[in-house]
PDB file of all heavy atoms in Angstrom:
ATOM      1  N   ILE A 144      51.675 -32.909 -24.097  1.00 96.00           N
ATOM      2  CA  ILE A 144      51.310 -32.240 -22.843  1.00 96.00           C
ATOM      3  C   ILE A 144      50.038 -31.425 -23.031  1.00 96.00           C
ATOM      4  O   ILE A 144      49.117 -31.488 -22.199  1.00 96.00           O
ATOM      5  CB  ILE A 144      52.465 -31.352 -22.343  1.00 96.00           C
ATOM      6  CG1 ILE A 144      53.650 -32.213 -21.891  1.00 96.00           C
ATOM      7  CG2 ILE A 144      51.997 -30.449 -21.193  1.00 96.00           C
ATOM      8  CD1 ILE A 144      54.835 -31.430 -21.385  1.00 96.00           C
ATOM      9  N   SER A 145      49.980 -30.652 -24.102  1.00 95.00           N
ATOM     10  CA  SER A 145      48.795 -29.813 -24.339  1.00 95.00           C
ATOM     11  C   SER A 145      47.546 -30.666 -24.525  1.00 95.00           C
ATOM     12  O   SER A 145      46.463 -30.319 -24.046  1.00 95.00           O
ATOM     13  CB  SER A 145      49.016 -28.920 -25.565  1.00 95.00           C
ATOM     14  OG  SER A 145      49.229 -29.689 -26.726  1.00 95.00           O
ATOM     15  N   LYS A 146      47.694 -31.803 -25.197  1.00 94.00           N
ATOM     16  CA  LYS A 146      46.541 -32.691 -25.415  1.00 94.00           C
ATOM     17  C   LYS A 146      46.015 -33.223 -24.084  1.00 94.00           C
ATOM     18  O   LYS A 146      44.800 -33.208 -23.828  1.00 94.00           O
ATOM     19  CB  LYS A 146      46.953 -33.852 -26.327  1.00 94.00           C
ATOM     20  CG  LYS A 146      45.811 -34.789 -26.707  1.00 94.00           C
ATOM     21  CD  LYS A 146      46.297 -35.839 -27.694  1.00 94.00           C
ATOM     22  CE  LYS A 146      45.148 -36.738 -28.157  1.00 94.00           C
ATOM     23  NZ  LYS A 146      44.594 -37.562 -27.064  1.00 94.00           N
ATOM     24  N   LYS A 147      46.919 -33.702 -23.228  1.00 96.00           N
ATOM     25  CA  LYS A 147      46.516 -34.235 -21.921  1.00 96.00           C
ATOM     26  C   LYS A 147      45.842 -33.156 -21.071  1.00 96.00           C
ATOM     27  O   LYS A 147      44.847 -33.416 -20.389  1.00 96.00           O
ATOM     28  CB  LYS A 147      47.739 -34.778 -21.185  1.00 96.00           C
ATOM     29  CG  LYS A 147      48.269 -36.090 -21.726  1.00 96.00           C
ATOM     30  CD  LYS A 147      47.356 -37.251 -21.354  1.00 96.00           C
ATOM     31  CE  LYS A 147      47.960 -38.576 -21.757  1.00 96.00           C
ATOM     32  NZ  LYS A 147      47.057 -39.712 -21.418  1.00 96.00           N
ATOM     33  N   CYS A 148      46.405 -31.944 -21.086  1.00 96.00           N
ATOM     34  CA  CYS A 148      45.886 -30.862 -20.236  1.00 96.00           C
ATOM     35  C   CYS A 148      44.534 -30.356 -20.715  1.00 96.00           C
ATOM     36  O   CYS A 148      43.721 -29.900 -19.907  1.00 96.00           O
ATOM     37  CB  CYS A 148      46.898 -29.713 -20.182  1.00 96.00           C
ATOM     38  SG  CYS A 148      48.394 -30.131 -19.273  1.00 96.00           S
ATOM     39  N   LYS A 149      44.277 -30.429 -22.001  1.00 94.00           N
ATOM     40  CA  LYS A 149      42.971 -30.040 -22.515  1.00 94.00           C
ATOM     41  C   LYS A 149      41.894 -31.036 -22.087  1.00 94.00           C
ATOM     42  O   LYS A 149      40.767 -30.661 -21.807  1.00 94.00           O
ATOM     43  CB  LYS A 149      43.002 -29.972 -24.052  1.00 94.00           C
ATOM     44  CG  LYS A 149      43.672 -28.745 -24.627  1.00 94.00           C
ATOM     45  CD  LYS A 149      43.622 -28.805 -26.147  1.00 94.00           C
ATOM     46  CE  LYS A 149      44.338 -27.633 -26.784  1.00 94.00           C
ATOM     47  NZ  LYS A 149      44.329 -27.725 -28.266  1.00 94.00           N
ATOM     48  N   GLU A 150      42.275 -32.289 -22.027  1.00 92.00           N
ATOM     49  CA  GLU A 150      41.307 -33.351 -21.757  1.00 92.00           C
ATOM     50  C   GLU A 150      41.062 -33.592 -20.270  1.00 92.00           C
ATOM     51  O   GLU A 150      39.996 -34.076 -19.887  1.00 92.00           O
ATOM     52  CB  GLU A 150      41.797 -34.663 -22.395  1.00 92.00           C
ATOM     53  CG  GLU A 150      41.878 -34.615 -23.914  1.00 92.00           C
ATOM     54  CD  GLU A 150      42.542 -35.854 -24.488  1.00 92.00           C
ATOM     55  OE1 GLU A 150      43.104 -36.640 -23.694  1.00 92.00           O
ATOM     56  OE2 GLU A 150      42.488 -36.028 -25.720  1.00 92.00           O
ATOM     57  N   ASN A 151      42.045 -33.272 -19.429  1.00 96.00           N
ATOM     58  CA  ASN A 151      41.967 -33.675 -18.028  1.00 96.00           C
ATOM     59  C   ASN A 151      42.502 -32.572 -17.113  1.00 96.00           C
ATOM     60  O   ASN A 151      43.645 -32.134 -17.254  1.00 96.00           O
ATOM     61  CB  ASN A 151      42.781 -34.960 -17.822  1.00 96.00           C
ATOM     62  CG  ASN A 151      42.487 -35.629 -16.504  1.00 96.00           C
ATOM     63  OD1 ASN A 151      42.552 -35.006 -15.458  1.00 96.00           O
ATOM     64  ND2 ASN A 151      42.171 -36.919 -16.557  1.00 96.00           N
ATOM     65  N   LYS A 152      41.662 -32.119 -16.185  1.00 96.00           N
ATOM     66  CA  LYS A 152      42.070 -31.047 -15.275  1.00 96.00           C
ATOM     67  C   LYS A 152      43.147 -31.509 -14.292  1.00 96.00           C
ATOM     68  O   LYS A 152      43.891 -30.681 -13.757  1.00 96.00           O
ATOM     69  CB  LYS A 152      40.861 -30.511 -14.506  1.00 96.00           C
ATOM     70  CG  LYS A 152      39.880 -29.748 -15.386  1.00 96.00           C
ATOM     71  CD  LYS A 152      38.807 -29.081 -14.561  1.00 96.00           C
ATOM     72  CE  LYS A 152      37.791 -28.373 -15.453  1.00 96.00           C
ATOM     73  NZ  LYS A 152      38.411 -27.303 -16.246  1.00 96.00           N
ATOM     74  N   PHE A 153      43.231 -32.811 -14.049  1.00 97.00           N
ATOM     75  CA  PHE A 153      44.296 -33.315 -13.169  1.00 97.00           C
ATOM     76  C   PHE A 153      45.662 -33.046 -13.783  1.00 97.00           C
ATOM     77  O   PHE A 153      46.578 -32.569 -13.109  1.00 97.00           O
ATOM     78  CB  PHE A 153      44.115 -34.813 -12.932  1.00 97.00           C
ATOM     79  CG  PHE A 153      45.287 -35.443 -12.222  1.00 97.00           C
ATOM     80  CD1 PHE A 153      45.479 -35.265 -10.854  1.00 97.00           C
ATOM     81  CD2 PHE A 153      46.218 -36.201 -12.940  1.00 97.00           C
ATOM     82  CE1 PHE A 153      46.578 -35.837 -10.203  1.00 97.00           C
ATOM     83  CE2 PHE A 153      47.308 -36.775 -12.294  1.00 97.00           C
ATOM     84  CZ  PHE A 153      47.488 -36.589 -10.928  1.00 97.00           C
ATOM     85  N   TYR A 154      45.799 -33.340 -15.073  1.00 97.00           N
ATOM     86  CA  TYR A 154      47.078 -33.086 -15.753  1.00 97.00           C
ATOM     87  C   TYR A 154      47.357 -31.588 -15.851  1.00 97.00           C
ATOM     88  O   TYR A 154      48.510 -31.158 -15.766  1.00 97.00           O
ATOM     89  CB  TYR A 154      47.073 -33.715 -17.145  1.00 97.00           C
ATOM     90  CG  TYR A 154      47.151 -35.221 -17.120  1.00 97.00           C
ATOM     91  CD1 TYR A 154      46.039 -35.992 -17.448  1.00 97.00           C
ATOM     92  CD2 TYR A 154      48.320 -35.877 -16.757  1.00 97.00           C
ATOM     93  CE1 TYR A 154      46.100 -37.380 -17.417  1.00 97.00           C
ATOM     94  CE2 TYR A 154      48.392 -37.261 -16.720  1.00 97.00           C
ATOM     95  CZ  TYR A 154      47.278 -38.013 -17.047  1.00 97.00           C
ATOM     96  OH  TYR A 154      47.350 -39.377 -17.005  1.00 97.00           O
ATOM     97  N   LEU A 155      46.301 -30.807 -16.022  1.00 97.00           N
ATOM     98  CA  LEU A 155      46.456 -29.352 -16.058  1.00 97.00           C
ATOM     99  C   LEU A 155      46.974 -28.850 -14.711  1.00 97.00           C
ATOM    100  O   LEU A 155      47.893 -28.017 -14.652  1.00 97.00           O
ATOM    101  CB  LEU A 155      45.121 -28.694 -16.391  1.00 97.00           C
ATOM    102  CG  LEU A 155      45.136 -27.161 -16.508  1.00 97.00           C
ATOM    103  CD1 LEU A 155      45.966 -26.719 -17.711  1.00 97.00           C
ATOM    104  CD2 LEU A 155      43.710 -26.620 -16.631  1.00 97.00           C
ATOM    105  N   SER A 156      46.395 -29.361 -13.629  1.00 97.00           N
ATOM    106  CA  SER A 156      46.844 -28.971 -12.290  1.00 97.00           C
ATOM    107  C   SER A 156      48.274 -29.434 -12.035  1.00 97.00           C
ATOM    108  O   SER A 156      49.072 -28.726 -11.414  1.00 97.00           O
ATOM    109  CB  SER A 156      45.909 -29.569 -11.229  1.00 97.00           C
ATOM    110  OG  SER A 156      44.583 -29.109 -11.400  1.00 97.00           O
ATOM    111  N   LEU A 157      48.594 -30.624 -12.524  1.00 98.00           N
ATOM    112  CA  LEU A 157      49.948 -31.155 -12.377  1.00 98.00           C
ATOM    113  C   LEU A 157      50.957 -30.265 -13.104  1.00 98.00           C
ATOM    114  O   LEU A 157      52.051 -29.993 -12.587  1.00 98.00           O
ATOM    115  CB  LEU A 157      49.999 -32.575 -12.942  1.00 98.00           C
ATOM    116  CG  LEU A 157      51.188 -33.447 -12.528  1.00 98.00           C
ATOM    117  CD1 LEU A 157      51.201 -33.678 -11.023  1.00 98.00           C
ATOM    118  CD2 LEU A 157      51.131 -34.779 -13.277  1.00 98.00           C
ATOM    119  N   LEU A 158      50.572 -29.793 -14.277  1.00 98.00           N
ATOM    120  CA  LEU A 158      51.432 -28.876 -15.030  1.00 98.00           C
ATOM    121  C   LEU A 158      51.603 -27.558 -14.280  1.00 98.00           C
ATOM    122  O   LEU A 158      52.698 -26.978 -14.256  1.00 98.00           O
ATOM    123  CB  LEU A 158      50.840 -28.622 -16.418  1.00 98.00           C
ATOM    124  CG  LEU A 158      51.624 -27.662 -17.320  1.00 98.00           C
ATOM    125  CD1 LEU A 158      53.048 -28.156 -17.561  1.00 98.00           C
ATOM    126  CD2 LEU A 158      50.888 -27.477 -18.653  1.00 98.00           C
TER     127      LEU A 158
END
Side-chain angles (χ1 to χ4, degrees):
I144 291 180
S145 61
K146 184 176 184 294
K147 286 287 186 181
C148 291
K149 283 180 183 178
E150 296 172 350
N151 194 308
K152 291 188 183 298
F153 171 76
Y154 288 108
L155 182 67
S156 300
L157 197 62
L158 179 59

